[in-house]
């Protein structure tokens, strides 16, 4: 007999509004324990110094995490002018000071340079591995190393507030792999100023936003009232931009067995018109139940990830 899994078979997503000061791993552990879930994971790390949207997958929803890595994200952050730090956040060692306070008009004029596909060098204090070691560990040890720039996309960037001469708040919408601290560092350099990120909040990850978010306190209250499932979003929430195909009971059985199904010509044409550029991924549903994520190839759907729901 196989070993029995610990916990309950809970399947779905939690759109967590992660509090400031808590790491992503700790947040996942807290949610998993609240639900007594067998399995949990998250879509996109959020630093302890940041708050906001951390999508947490439970059970079968973990099979859709890879889809969320491609999702667009929205960040709102504040740059504190006058002081630069080694980590480009408020906890880092001070490495520069300046009396320069860029006017908000200059910030607005500079932002378009960072919109579109750009080359961005990650901050030295990041989780990127260098010869098997995390960059932030090497940086703390004072080691000399270089991080290669990478091609990233920032879809939109705008000044959202300017509370005083020492601070400016910026909101950006990005693709994957963008570092807010790198943007703040490069913007300060362009404007001839010193600055660091003093506040950071993620407001959206794909379909997960502050509109459908819950806090740990809300989840704890739901669990206390034996209503935890009210805070759970469907597994398919992460698949909102993937075309769906309704399949018959027989086709659903075949997909669950790992066997491909043949599509009708009209189904192929309909799905092709709805696929994301460069994608072949289609979600198969039996009624309201998600059956599988499939790849469409040569007029067939080949199951890639099968769901036990």
């Amino acid at each position: 007999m196989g070993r029995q899994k610990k916990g309950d078979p809970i399947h779905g997503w939690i759109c967590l509004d992660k509090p400031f000061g808590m790491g992503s791993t700790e947040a996942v552990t807290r949610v998993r324990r609240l639900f007594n879930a067998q399995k949990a994971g998250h879509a996109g790390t959020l630093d302890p110094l940041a708050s906001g949207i951390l999508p947490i997958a439970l059970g079968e929803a973990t099979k859709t995490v890879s889809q969320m890595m491609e999702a667009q994200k929205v960040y709102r952050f504040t740059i504190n002018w006058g002081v630069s730090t080694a980590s480009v956040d408020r906890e880092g060692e001070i490495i520069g000071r300046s009396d320069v306070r860029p006017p908000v008009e200059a910030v607005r004029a500079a932002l378009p340079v960072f919109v579109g596909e750009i080359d961005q060098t990650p901050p030295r204090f990041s989780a990127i591995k260098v010869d098997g070691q995390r960059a932030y560990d090497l940086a703390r040890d004072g080691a000399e190393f270089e991080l290669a720039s990478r091609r990233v996309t920032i879809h939109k960037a705008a000044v959202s507030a300017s509370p005083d001469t020492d601070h400016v708040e910026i909101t950006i919408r990005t693709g994957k792999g963008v570092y807010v601290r790198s943007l703040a560092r490069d913007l300060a350099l362009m404007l001839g100023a010193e600055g660091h990120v003093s506040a950071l909040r993620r407001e959206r990850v794909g379909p997960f936003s502050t509109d459908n978010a819950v806090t740990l306190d809300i989840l704890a209250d739901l669990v206390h009232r034996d209503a935890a499932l009210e805070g759970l979003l469907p597994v398919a929430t992460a698949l909102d931009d993937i075309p769906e195909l309704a399949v018959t009971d027989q086709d659903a059985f075949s997909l669950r067995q790992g066997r491909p199904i043949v599509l009708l010509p009209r189904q192929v044409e309909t799905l092709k018109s709805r696929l994301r550029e460069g994608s072949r991924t289609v979600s198969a549903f039996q009624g309201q139940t998600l059956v599988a994520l499939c790849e469409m190839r040569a007029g067939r759907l080949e199951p890639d990830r099968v769901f036990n729901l």
Side-chain angles (χ1 to χ4, degrees), residues 60-68 235-236 238-240 242-244 255 276 280-285 290-296 301-307:
E60 291 292 279
T62 57
K63 295 178 179 178
T64 65
V65 166
S66 60
Q67 300 296 323
M68 291 308 304
V235 172
L239 310 176
D240 70 323
I242 294 175
E244 301 176 9
L255 291 172
R276 292 183 304 188
R280 297 173 178 266
T281 304
V282 175
S283 55
F285 280 80
L290 177 63
V291 175
L293 279 177
C294 308
E295 292 292 300
M296 189 171 72
L301 279 191
E302 300 178 359
D304 181 37
R305 293 181 182 271
V306 176
F307 296 88

Side-chain angles (χ1 to χ4, degrees), residues 104-122:
V104 66
E105 294 80 9
V107 177
R108 287 196 179 100
L111 283 177
V113 174
F114 301 96
V115 175
E117 286 194 8
I118 62 171
D119 290 316
Q120 186 184 71
T121 302

Side-chain angles (χ1 to χ4, degrees), residues 210-249:
T210 51
D211 294 334
N212 55 7
V214 291
T215 64
L216 286 170
D217 287 341
I218 289 175
L219 285 178
D221 179 64
L222 289 173
V223 170
H224 179 72
R225 295 191 284 110
D226 197 25
L229 296 184
E230 292 181 14
L232 199 63
L233 298 172
V235 172
T237 303
L239 310 176
D240 70 323
D241 61 345
I242 294 175
E244 301 176 9
L245 178 69
V247 298
T248 65
D249 293 349

Side-chain angles (χ1 to χ4, degrees), residues 246-303:
V247 298
T248 65
D249 293 349
Q250 181 59 47
D251 283 345
F253 178 80
S254 295
L255 291 172
R256 290 191 176 103
Q257 296 298 311
R259 299 196 301 267
I261 62 173
V262 177
L263 299 173
L264 298 173
R266 60 178 174 80
Q267 291 176 315
V268 173
E269 292 306 313
T270 299
L271 291 172
K272 279 185 175 179
S273 67
R274 297 170 57 198
L275 286 172
R276 292 183 304 188
E277 184 177 355
S279 173
R280 297 173 178 266
T281 304
V282 175
S283 55
F285 280 80
Q286 181 185 19
Q288 300 298 313
T289 303
L290 177 63
V291 175
L293 279 177
C294 308
E295 292 292 300
M296 189 171 72
R297 299 179 187 278
R300 305 195 308 174
L301 279 191
E302 300 178 359

Side-chain angles (χ1 to χ4, degrees), residues 63-238:
K63 295 178 179 178
T64 65
V65 166
S66 60
Q67 300 296 323
M68 291 308 304
M69 304 312 289
E70 303 293 328
Q72 292 188 15
K73 302 172 179 66
V74 174
Y75 295 94
R76 178 165 50 88
F77 64 99
T78 299
I79 298 177
N80 190 161
W81 300 118
V83 173
S84 289
T85 67
S87 56
V88 205
D89 60 33
R90 65 190 196 184
E91 287 199 341
E93 177 188 358
I94 295 176
I95 58 173
R97 294 182 183 274
S98 170
D99 292 330
V100 176
R101 301 295 187 271
V104 66
E105 294 80 9
V107 177
R108 287 196 179 100
L111 283 177
V113 174
F114 301 96
V115 175
E117 286 194 8
I118 62 171
D119 290 316
Q120 186 184 71
T121 302
R124 289 172 59 81
F125 283 80
S126 64
I128 292 173
K129 285 191 174 181
V130 180
D131 296 329
Q133 291 184 273
R134 299 292 185 184
Y136 52 66
D137 289 329
L138 294 173
R140 291 189 186 110
D141 292 340
E144 291 295 325
F145 64 95
E146 296 291 333
L147 292 176
S149 66
R150 52 181 60 186
R151 200 73 172 165
V152 299
T153 301
I154 297 178
H155 299 281
K156 186 176 181 180
V159 173
S160 45
S162 181
D164 53 54
T165 56
D166 287 331
H167 301 87
V168 64
E169 182 186 273
I170 297 170
T171 299
I172 61 174
R173 178 166 55 86
T174 78
K176 67 177 182 179
V178 172
Y179 281 91
V180 170
R181 287 175 294 141
S182 291
L183 174 59
R185 175 201 65 203
D186 296 343
L187 180 62
L189 180 64
M190 174 176 285
L191 295 173
E194 304 289 345
H196 67 276
V197 176
S198 59
L200 172 61
R201 181 167 175 78
R202 187 159 68 190
E203 299 187 327
R204 176 176 289 276
V205 179
F208 301 99
S209 72
T210 51
D211 294 334
N212 55 7
V214 291
T215 64
L216 286 170
D217 287 341
I218 289 175
L219 285 178
D221 179 64
L222 289 173
V223 170
H224 179 72
R225 295 191 284 110
D226 197 25
L229 296 184
E230 292 181 14
L232 199 63
L233 298 172
V235 172
T237 303

